[in-house]
Amino acid sequence: MKKEGTIYETKFIVRCLEYGLEPHPTVGDYLPHDLLVSNSAGSIYKVQVKGTSCRIKDKGRRAGSSPRYRITAAGGGQKAPLDCSKVDVLACSVKGDHWYLIPCLKLKGSAIWLYPDVEDSKAYYEQFRENWGFFLT
């Protein structure tokens, strides 16, 4: 599990650099955020990185329904909800190809359902898919 987390964090760092952002990894894993990200204006954002490549196969869902992926928006040993006074954005990697950059204050509970394979999905969190502009404000 820790190895996968390191892979997601490393992929996030690469994407930040591609967008002209400056990622600053933290030392250790005792903080509620994984990285700090700064932009050219000097703004700094605290980022929690999560990821999954496991498609959820729901029992009882109707045939032909959209494939979905789940991220748990929680942190700490007790899996408490993210504390938005300590985390600005939840960066979610899905299948290694798609990034969802969800402002912490926009989270609606700890279960995040994402639909990267559905082109015009109207699901709530789809508005944050590839939301790299968040870091430019």
Side-chain angles (χ1 to χ4, degrees):
M1 202 67 166
K2 286 221 181 238
K3 184 176 183 178
E4 288 176 348
T6 300
I7 291 169
Y8 292 126
E9 290 173 19
T10 302
K11 287 182 177 186
F12 180 77
I13 289 169
V14 170
R15 288 296 293 272
C16 283
L17 292 170
E18 290 173 347
Y19 278 94
L21 301 167
E22 298 297 331
H24 307 273
T26 58
V27 177
D29 59 0
Y30 59 92
L31 295 170
H33 58 274
D34 295 314
L35 297 105
L36 298 174
V37 174
S38 61
N39 63 22
S40 60
S43 297
I44 299 173
Y45 302 89
K46 298 170 288 217
V47 181
Q48 174 71 52
V49 178
K50 302 275 187 179
T52 187
S53 59
C54 298
R55 184 174 141 186
I56 300 296
K57 297 177 183 176
D58 292 329
K59 296 177 182 173
R61 290 190 80 203
R62 69 184 189 284
S65 60
S66 302
R68 62 186 186 161
Y69 297 79
R70 180 182 177 167
I71 298 283
T72 302
Q78 302 300 318
K79 295 297 179 191
L82 288 182
D83 180 347
C84 293
S85 69
K86 297 178 181 168
V87 175
D88 298 314
V89 63
L90 177 64
C92 305
S93 174
V94 180
K95 299 181 1 177
D97 299 331
H98 306 280
W99 283 97
Y100 291 79
L101 303 158
I102 307 169
C104 191
L105 294 172
K106 299 289 185 177
L107 293 171
K108 294 183 172 190
S110 61
I112 308 296
W113 293 101
L114 304 171
Y115 300 83
D117 300 322
V118 180
E119 195 170 312
D120 295 323
S121 174
K122 302 294 184 224
Y124 176 72
Y125 292 108
E126 292 305 306
Q127 65 184 306
F128 304 110
R129 186 189 306 191
E130 300 300 336
N131 184 30
W132 293 95
F134 174 83
F135 294 111
L136 303 177
T137 58

